[in-house]
């Protein structure tokens, strides 16, 4: 359907094989890392799927592959999506002489369920809405940021708490990288502001990469501090606080969803079967703790044909809709693959601001209305 045949495909694969897989030392094609290559007109895309723990290692590979793809014969615009095979499961180095950690005994984190009685809720926040995913790289943060800014654009008072300890990205995506939050007289954090949205991020308080050695209690206490920031005000409460959760369904995530009083969660998935299996696992976690699932968002749902705009479902089709139906919740949005989304993220200008009429931005506005 969408796979090119003949010489162009062979040329592209040869070009991509010049890029080395840092783990095997082979070319990317020989290493079996080029998945779902699609070429339409002068646009090409594929997916680079790696182990969750290797996402950092492969970020420069993604860039190199995208450059190589764009330079392949007949290609003008290229998109390489880096995605994780499973949720990050860091095994922190044990300090010398440390007691073995209980969580390292094969313990099912979902064995201790139920919402804890002391779940937190900030005083001037009407609804806490979490954005979650079963694995990293599916676009959860992109969805959280664009949803928050879209809600603000629709006239609501909104905050965004970037709680993704594995890869806090809100500061970058909202152009707040060089800024630091201030404290009030009571040592409470004052959120920053971008595009009408109050923003607090774990990225403001920890060094990049440091989160990998975090454990549940540390993550929870740091996030309680962020949650306790000066969100809204008595005379101007936030209508919604959007919380970008760390991906996955492990111990840390479970502790967080139990401790933070979440009114509803949005689950983000890409259409691939593996991502959907992880999304289902996340849905099960929320169902068990009694958090209502507001709906499912299918990200990277299709690649719009540059000539006709027709949907090219490069990563599969219909899976998220079926998953939403299975859960009895709405499919809140189908967000197309749009290189401008990443560009917007890198430049600190979310797509709903940079190109509000684009199909992807319209998907976010539609989603925001659905959430309201
Ligand atoms: P997660 O929070 O799930 O780890 P991110 O939101 O950080 O994922 O997205 C991972 C990468 O994919 C980012 O570079 C982002 O810009 C890009 N991306 C996300 N959604 C899309 C999309 N629909 N089209 C193109 N690129 C996307």
């Amino acid at each position: 359907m969408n796979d090119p045949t003949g010489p162009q495909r062979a040329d592209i694969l040869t070009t991509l094989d010049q890029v080395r897989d840092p783990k095997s030392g082979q070319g990317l094609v020989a290493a079996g890392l080029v998945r779902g290559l699609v070429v339409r007109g002068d646009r090409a895309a594929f997916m680079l799927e790696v182990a969750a723990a290797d996402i950092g290692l492969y970020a420069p590979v993604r860039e190199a592959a995208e450059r190589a793809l764009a330079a392949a014969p007949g290609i003008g615009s290229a998109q390489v999506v880096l995605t994780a095979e499973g949720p990050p499961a860091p095994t922190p180095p044990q300090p010398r002489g440390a007691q073995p950690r209980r969580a390292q005994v094969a313990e099912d984190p979902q064995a201790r369920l139920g919402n804890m009685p002391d779940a937190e809720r900030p005083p001037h926040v009407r609804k806490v809405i979490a954005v979650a995913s079963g694995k990293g790289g599916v676009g959860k943060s992109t969805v959280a940021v664009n949803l928050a800014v879209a809600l603000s654009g629709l006239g609501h008072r909104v905050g965004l708490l970037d709680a993704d300890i594995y890869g806090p990205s809100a500061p970058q995506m909202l152009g707040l990288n060089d800024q630091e939050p201030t404290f009030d007289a009571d040592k409470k954090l004052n959120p920053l502001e971008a595009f009408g949205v109050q923003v607090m991020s774990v990225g403001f308080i920890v060094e990049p990469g440091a989160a990998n050695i975090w454990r549940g209690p540390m993550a929870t206490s740091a996030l309680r501090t962020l949650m306790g920031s000066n969100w809204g005000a008595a005379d101007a409460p936030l209508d919604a606080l959007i919380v970008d959760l760390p991906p996955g369904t492990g111990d840390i995530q479970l502790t967080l969803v139990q401790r933070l009083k979440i009114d509803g969660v949005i689950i983000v998935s890409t259409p691939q079967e593996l991502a959907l299996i992880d999304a289902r696992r996340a849905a099960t976690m929320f169902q068990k703790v009694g958090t209502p699932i507001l709906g499912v968002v299918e990200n990277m749902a299709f690649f719009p044909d540059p000539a006709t705009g027709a949907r090219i479902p490069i990563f599969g089709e219909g899976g998220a809709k079926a998953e939403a139906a299975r859960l009895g919740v709405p499919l809140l949005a189908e967000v197309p693959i749009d290189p401008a989304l990443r560009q917007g993220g890198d430049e600190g200008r979310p797509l709903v601001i940079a190109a509000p009429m684009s199909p992807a931005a319209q998907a976010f506005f539609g989603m925001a209305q659905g959430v309201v």
Side-chain angles (χ1 to χ4, degrees):
M1 157 201 62
N2 45 34
D3 263 6
T5 50
Q8 193 189 13
R9 183 183 174 87
D11 285 347
I12 290 174
L13 292 175
T14 308
T15 309
L16 283 175
D17 218 28
Q18 309 294 312
V19 181
R20 293 282 117 197
D21 166 22
K23 284 211 128 168
S24 67
Q26 296 176 297
L28 288 187
V29 178
L33 288 173
V34 176
R35 304 257 175 96
L37 173 67
V38 63
V39 180
R40 270 293 159 107
D42 71 343
R43 294 174 71 176
F46 74 89
M47 196 168 52
L48 190 63
E49 195 164 70
V50 302
D54 292 336
I55 281 280
L57 177 66
Y58 280 88
V61 179
R62 189 203 69 75
E63 281 170 29
E66 200 165 80
R67 276 195 305 274
L69 191 57
I75 301 301
S77 142
Q79 170 89 4
V80 178
V81 175
L82 178 60
T83 176
E85 280 164 1
T91 14
Q94 289 289 307
R96 217 177 285 246
Q99 294 294 318
R101 203 156 60 95
R102 267 189 57 230
Q104 284 182 339
V105 181
E107 174 192 18
D108 173 8
Q110 302 204 2
R112 316 170 268 108
L113 288 170
N115 222 322
M116 292 185 185
D118 58 346
E120 307 284 310
R121 172 192 284 284
H124 308 311
V125 171
R126 293 202 170 114
K127 297 280 179 208
V128 177
I129 298 173
V131 180
S133 67
K135 66 173 193 165
V138 298
K140 172 181 54 60
S141 301
T142 303
V143 169
V145 162
N146 281 280
L147 170 65
V149 178
L151 280 169
S152 166
L154 293 176
H156 302 282
R157 278 203 200 90
V158 187
L160 175 70
L161 170 53
D162 170 16
D164 187 348
I165 51 171
Y166 300 115
S169 46
Q172 169 80 39
M173 288 184 174
L174 290 164
L176 296 171
N177 250 348
D178 302 329
Q179 298 192 39
E180 281 186 10
T182 53
F183 291 89
D184 70 5
D186 297 330
K187 295 258 185 301
K188 279 174 88 176
L189 284 158
N190 297 315
L192 295 171
E193 187 154 334
F195 308 104
V197 174
Q198 291 197 337
V199 186
M200 187 49 72
S201 168
V202 70
F204 293 140
I205 62 166
V206 293
E207 290 299 318
N212 272 358
I213 56 159
W214 286 26
R215 300 179 188 163
M218 281 168 73
T220 308
S221 87
L223 292 175
R224 284 174 74 175
T225 305
L226 297 182
M227 196 77 169
S229 305
N230 287 314
W231 300 107
D235 56 350
L238 295 185
D239 296 310
L241 177 62
I242 309 292
V243 183
D244 182 1
L245 288 175
T249 49
D251 204 29
I252 288 185
Q253 290 82 352
L254 181 69
T255 310
L256 289 179
V257 302
Q258 287 177 303
R259 294 302 287 265
L260 308 177
K261 174 86 190 68
I262 297 171
D263 294 293
V265 60
I266 295 164
I267 295 181
V268 182
S269 182
T270 52
Q272 303 100 294
E273 193 48 39
L274 268 176
L276 286 163
I277 290 171
D278 287 322
R280 195 166 305 156
R281 200 169 290 143
T284 304
M285 175 175 82
F286 287 104
Q287 283 173 330
K288 285 188 181 170
V289 297
T291 304
I293 299 173
L294 300 179
V296 174
V297 172
E298 186 172 78
N299 188 30
M300 309 189 200
F302 56 93
F303 190 68
D305 187 307
T308 64
R311 299 160 59 121
I312 307 171
I314 67 171
F315 299 149
E317 198 171 23
K321 193 178 271 176
E323 189 54 30
R326 196 187 67 82
L327 294 166
V329 301
L331 181 66
L332 288 169
E334 294 173 286
V335 183
I337 294 178
D338 183 348
L341 262 176
R342 190 171 59 239
Q343 202 181 333
D346 291 350
E347 290 170 2
R349 234 175 113 69
L351 193 73
V352 292
I353 296 286
M357 297 313 290
S358 63
Q362 287 294 307
F364 289 122
F365 281 114
M367 172 187 177
Q369 268 153 351
V371 169
V372 170

